[in-house]
Amino acid sequence: MRSDRLKIVFVLCLAFVTSGGKYFESKVAQLIRDETEDIKCFVEGKKDFTCFWEEEDGTNYSQDNYTFTYTYMNENKMDCAVSSLFLLSSNRSVFFCKLPKALFFTSLDVQVLRDGQMLYNRSLSVENILLTDPPRNVTVWSSGKEGQLNVSWLPPAVKYIDDSLIYEVRYAMEESHMGKVEETKASTMLVLRGLQPDTRYKVWVRVKPDGVSYKGYWSSWTSPVIAVTPPGSMDPLIVLLVVFIILILCLLSMTVILSHHKFLLKKLWPDIPTPEHKFPGLFTVYKGDFKEWMSQNSGNMWARSVHMYTEELPSPLEVLSEVSLSPLDERKLVQDEDQRSDSGLTEPPHWLMEQLRALQENPESLSRSTLLQSHDTYITLNHSSGGQREEDVFEETLPLQTLFTSAGTSSLNASHSDLGSLRQSSGSGRLSSQSSFEDPNHPWSPKGPGYAYMAVADSGVSMDYSPMSSSRIIEIGKRGFYANEYKNEIFGYKWPFSGQHVQSGY
Amino acid sequence: MFHGSGLFALLLMVLEWTCPGLSSPLRPICDLRVLDHFIKEAWDAEAAMRACKDDCSIATNVTVPLTRVDFEVWEAMNIEEQAQEVQSGLHLLNEAIGSLQISNQTEVLQSHIDASIRNIASIRQVLRSLSIPEYVTPTSSGEDKETQKISSISELFQVHVNFLRGKARLLLANAPVCHQGVS
């Protein structure tokens, strides 16, 4: 009974010894890859010293064919029992020997003999062939800082050597095969920096002697440990920089706006053109009283204001008939004037009628005016004492005529001079009214000198000759109306006209 | 290959100020990086001597300590025995390397020899700071078991570096003064 138990214990121990530690087979496989010597040896700690060699290709030798001997300096040669191991990873067999005694810091000679013949030999030092187990208890955690992970581990359980080890940490994103490696000496903790936020990372660690007291091979990598980096947050420095840049841009734009505010204001909010600069003092001194302003100003001022309207050249208007209006008509006439006129005239109608009558009494005075000498334009109106025929109503001419008379000869002279310029300009045109009458039997024709002539500059006066406006004329006195297409053509009466037609766009 | 560190320079300043025989206790130097620095310089000397063959022979054999370390045997020794073994070994190495200064050597080799002598003295100071017993001349006339005879300078410096890496480092790493308070 007892002998059986002892045998069982012995077999178990032998199996444990021969099988080596947990990583024995992987270490053998690793040295097969990395070690070039025929006899590959490694020591796992202060003991567990193993030497092995691969089976020869094409041969079928067993472990009994081999003999392994070792000789420490200043000591005798010793034999070591040879065992075999079949590697599943490489589908090959290796023969190995676990030396019972490991003496460090001294020279060692090992030999392999096959059937008594020297096969391999090697001289080495045990402290230079360390191949420890990988580090233990690898832990990876996040400290909360963005892009960082903390890694810590325990050194392999090797006495006397654990204070002269260096470590290598490899890390990569979980789905990636490309990783980075960082080395650390004499420390079992490392902080990984520069990682992407909110990403899963795999971390491996391996160990090797530092080469000062002990030398050896890199251990195998530990099993990967996965950890997640904390989610990213806005870097306060970046936020501060962005705010700072925005402030600077705002200051710059404000500076530009303030320095060019007049120009920008003119572009974005242009001033409404006013004729004030052409009528100096009209609105400031005379409060818009044009009559008063005219009376105080010279003819040159009038000529300059006339020049404003280059498109609509002034033209003398010859009034050949007089309109006698009923009070109703007068009221409606005034309404039309107010609606259509933009000359700013605010004279009462009765004053106009007086002026008109005065003019009618002295038509020769006007006919003798220098304006007629120009004869640039004229509009003749038919006179009807009975009011049976259509009356040519040119109500707009009334205030204009009054304008001319009140201003006196000087204004007429001014207009003459202006018209004189018209003569020379090619912009002369003809003011005519092509009208259709209800009574076609009475064609419109200029009358004799018995009628009043009036030169008018129809600038600045809105004249609406649309059919709508002509309908109003019908309402006024049921007189003749102009359902006309007004063409503002200025031309010289006795001078050849240029034929240039200027459309009245009122 | 290996460069001096600021720590080593500071250590040398401290050690040179301290005269031997003073009763004032030294601060324990438990940092193994000090010894590692000496070991690195010993590696440099060993590499330099390995390259030199013809010019690096010595006339007579010298006695140097054995450098082999069997951990099971070492663990079985007490601190005094370990100290004695290390101190006697340092003594032998000091004498052996010191004897080379007499013979004519190249300037490079002479610098290595001088550095080794200084390093051995520094290691003795470190051991003294750790309250390691001093070397005691053996009363017995018999040869020390832990010695060997060598005949070349390259072997001498190989023994030198191996001794520092092995026994000297083990003694410093396990000095009782450095492990006080550690359960």
Side-chain angles (χ1 to χ4, degrees):
Chain A
M1 244 350 232
R2 183 179 279 184
S3 62
D4 292 334
R5 285 181 187 175
L6 284 172
K7 281 181 184 175
I8 291 167
V9 170
F10 174 74
V11 167
L12 286 173
C13 289
L14 188 64
F16 178 78
V17 167
T18 52
S19 65
K22 179 182 172 184
Y23 300 97
F24 178 77
E25 198 167 320
S26 66
K27 289 175 183 176
V28 169
Q30 178 185 336
L31 280 184
I32 287 173
R33 285 194 312 268
D34 300 339
E35 182 59 71
T36 56
E37 295 276 356
D38 295 319
I39 303 176
K40 306 174 201 302
C41 299
F42 62 95
V43 60
E44 297 176 69
K46 63 181 182 181
K47 48 185 181 177
D48 300 322
F49 177 24
T50 306
C51 287
F52 67 93
W53 59 98
E54 296 175 82
E55 66 175 352
E56 297 164 80
D57 295 333
T59 62
N60 197 17
Y61 295 111
S62 68
Q63 61 196 46
D64 298 327
N65 296 104
Y66 294 99
T67 309
F68 183 86
T69 62
Y70 63 96
T71 311
Y72 284 107
M73 192 167 62
N74 299 330
E75 293 211 357
N76 299 327
K77 183 183 286 187
M78 305 285 286
D79 283 345
C80 175
V82 177
S83 307
S84 67
L85 175 70
F86 182 77
L87 296 174
L88 294 169
S89 56
S90 59
N91 201 21
R92 290 171 67 94
S93 291
V94 295
F95 303 99
F96 66 94
C97 166
K98 283 190 171 288
L99 282 75
K101 192 163 66 170
L103 295 182
F104 291 75
F105 307 106
T106 189
S107 180
L108 171 68
D109 292 325
V110 291
Q111 292 178 347
V112 173
L113 294 90
R114 176 167 47 81
D115 298 328
Q117 298 293 325
M118 175 78 73
L119 187 60
Y120 309 120
N121 68 337
R122 181 184 172 186
S123 181
L124 55 95
S125 290
V126 179
E127 72 277 4
N128 296 336
I129 51 168
L130 234 69
L131 181 54
T132 62
D133 292 346
R136 302 169 293 156
N137 286 17
V138 178
T139 311
V140 184
W141 76 96
S142 169
S143 62
K145 290 186 181 178
E146 186 180 345
Q148 287 189 10
L149 280 177
N150 294 349
V151 186
S152 75
W153 57 89
L154 290 177
V158 284
K159 202 176 175 183
Y160 307 113
I161 308 169
D162 51 359
D163 54 0
S164 55
L165 297 171
I166 58 172
Y167 302 92
E168 208 171 60
V169 177
R170 181 163 68 103
Y171 57 97
M173 286 190 282
E174 191 176 20
E175 61 278 359
S176 168
H177 295 288
M178 298 294 294
K180 290 187 181 177
V181 170
E182 287 203 25
E183 196 173 284
T184 177
K185 293 183 181 180
S187 173
T188 57
M189 203 186 105
L190 184 68
V191 178
L192 302 175
R193 302 176 202 274
L195 306 177
Q196 292 189 9
D198 200 16
T199 309
R200 290 170 66 87
Y201 278 89
K202 288 195 290 189
V203 181
W204 301 263
V205 187
R206 66 177 181 180
V207 63
K208 192 180 102 167
D210 61 359
V212 179
S213 290
Y214 299 94
K215 298 180 183 179
Y217 311 94
W218 280 110
S219 71
S220 59
W221 291 105
T222 59
S223 301
V225 178
I226 297 174
V228 184
T229 49
S233 61
M234 188 67 74
D235 191 0
L237 180 64
I238 291 174
V239 172
L240 203 64
L241 283 173
V242 168
V243 169
F244 192 63
I245 287 168
I246 289 171
L247 277 174
I248 288 175
L249 287 174
C250 287
L251 281 172
L252 280 173
S253 58
M254 275 179 62
T255 308
V256 169
I257 288 169
L258 287 174
S259 61
H260 297 88
H261 74 279
K262 287 185 181 174
F263 174 76
L264 289 171
L265 206 63
K266 194 185 288 184
K267 287 293 177 186
L268 294 173
W269 197 267
D271 294 333
I272 298 171
T274 62
E276 189 174 347
H277 65 284
K278 290 290 184 184
F279 302 90
L282 171 61
F283 297 104
T284 54
V285 179
Y286 300 98
K287 307 288 187 252
D289 190 345
F290 195 75
K291 175 187 168 189
E292 199 65 31
W293 181 82
M294 279 297 294
S295 62
Q296 298 296 327
N297 279 283
S298 63
N300 291 333
M301 305 298 287
W302 169 246
R304 280 200 293 275
S305 62
V306 168
H307 272 297
M308 266 172 35
Y309 302 96
T310 54
E311 190 174 337
E312 298 295 333
L313 299 174
S315 56
L317 181 65
E318 180 181 349
V319 178
L320 303 179
S321 67
E322 181 186 40
V323 176
S324 63
L325 300 171
S326 65
L328 179 63
D329 297 337
E330 286 179 3
R331 278 200 300 276
K332 290 188 179 177
L333 180 63
V334 170
Q335 288 173 5
D336 286 336
E337 286 175 1
D338 292 337
Q339 288 168 9
R340 295 187 224 142
S341 170
D342 66 345
S343 61
L345 300 177
T346 55
E347 302 300 326
H350 65 277
W351 178 78
L352 296 175
M353 295 308 299
E354 289 174 1
Q355 296 293 328
L356 190 59
R357 288 195 195 94
L359 184 63
Q360 189 180 13
E361 291 167 1
N362 299 307
E364 315 244 319
S365 62
L366 185 59
S367 64
R368 281 193 227 105
S369 69
T370 53
L371 267 176
L372 292 176
Q373 294 179 4
S374 60
H375 294 287
D376 285 341
T377 60
Y378 68 92
I379 293 177
T380 58
L381 304 172
N382 277 333
H383 171 67
S384 173
S385 60
Q388 296 171 355
R389 297 179 48 177
E390 304 89 46
E391 296 292 341
D392 299 335
V393 178
F394 211 110
E395 60 273 15
E396 285 81 0
T397 61
L398 302 179
L400 285 173
Q401 178 268 332
T402 308
L403 192 73
F404 273 67
T405 52
S406 62
T409 315
S410 60
S411 62
L412 297 176
N413 289 332
S415 59
H416 162 68
S417 63
D418 181 58
L419 292 171
S421 65
L422 284 176
R423 254 183 298 165
Q424 297 162 8
S425 65
S426 60
S428 62
R430 179 180 64 179
L431 181 66
S432 67
S433 57
Q434 301 173 4
S435 56
S436 61
F437 291 83
E438 285 184 357
D439 189 355
N441 295 325
H442 298 276
W444 177 82
S445 61
K447 296 297 183 183
Y451 294 87
Y453 284 82
M454 189 164 65
V456 171
D458 64 342
S459 57
V461 176
S462 78
M463 306 172 104
D464 190 2
Y465 287 87
S466 61
M468 183 62 71
S469 61
S470 56
S471 65
R472 287 185 190 156
I473 298 171
I474 294 172
E475 289 175 13
I476 287 173
K478 297 182 181 175
R479 301 180 191 268
F481 65 93
Y482 285 100
N484 57 355
E485 180 186 350
Y486 180 67
K487 284 186 183 179
N488 185 9
E489 296 177 345
I490 302 173
F491 73 104
Y493 181 67
K494 287 188 179 176
W495 275 266
F497 59 92
S498 63
Q500 183 178 357
H501 297 260
V502 179
Q503 286 284 349
S504 170
Y506 294 124
Chain B
M1 288 198 295
F2 299 106
H3 301 282
S5 63
L7 177 65
F8 170 61
L10 182 64
L11 173 66
L12 280 180
M13 287 165 62
V14 169
L15 291 175
E16 284 177 1
W17 287 341
T18 325
C19 298
L22 285 177
S23 59
S24 59
L26 294 171
R27 190 171 180 176
I29 301 171
C30 294
D31 195 345
L32 286 173
R33 288 179 294 177
V34 176
L35 186 61
D36 285 346
H37 177 76
F38 299 144
I39 293 170
K40 289 175 186 176
E41 289 199 341
W43 274 117
D44 293 340
E46 191 267 342
M49 298 305 174
R50 200 185 324 133
C52 136
K53 298 282 184 189
D54 299 329
D55 297 333
C56 301
S57 60
I58 47 180
T60 56
N61 293 345
V62 291
T63 305
V64 291
L66 283 175
T67 57
R68 65 181 183 194
V69 172
D70 189 339
F71 283 104
E72 291 178 355
V73 173
W74 183 263
E75 287 173 351
M77 296 164 64
N78 55 25
I79 189 65
E80 289 78 15
E81 290 171 334
Q82 293 174 358
Q84 183 64 21
E85 193 160 325
V86 172
Q87 293 281 20
S88 66
L90 288 174
H91 174 75
L92 288 171
L93 282 170
N94 192 47
E95 287 190 349
I97 296 172
S99 67
L100 297 177
Q101 287 180 315
I102 302 171
S103 57
N104 294 328
Q105 301 294 338
T106 61
E107 199 171 318
V108 173
L109 297 177
Q110 193 62 46
S111 66
H112 284 294
I113 292 167
D114 295 338
S116 298
I117 297 292
R118 285 198 304 272
N119 291 346
I120 290 171
S122 301
I123 292 170
R124 280 177 166 172
Q125 293 288 346
V126 172
L127 291 175
R128 191 172 293 120
S129 73
L130 298 176
S131 305
I132 299 294
E134 298 279 348
Y135 170 66
V136 176
T137 307
T139 55
S140 59
S141 60
E143 287 187 6
D144 197 353
K145 294 179 186 177
E146 297 295 318
T147 59
Q148 58 179 327
K149 296 254 187 229
I150 56 161
S151 59
S152 67
I153 296 180
S154 61
E155 273 184 290
L156 173 58
F157 282 93
Q158 197 171 10
V159 166
H160 172 236
V161 70
N162 284 338
F163 188 80
L164 295 184
R165 292 164 67 195
K167 292 180 179 178
R169 199 174 193 277
L170 282 169
L171 182 64
L172 262 66
N174 294 282
V177 176
C178 299
H179 294 278
Q180 287 178 0
V182 177
S183 59

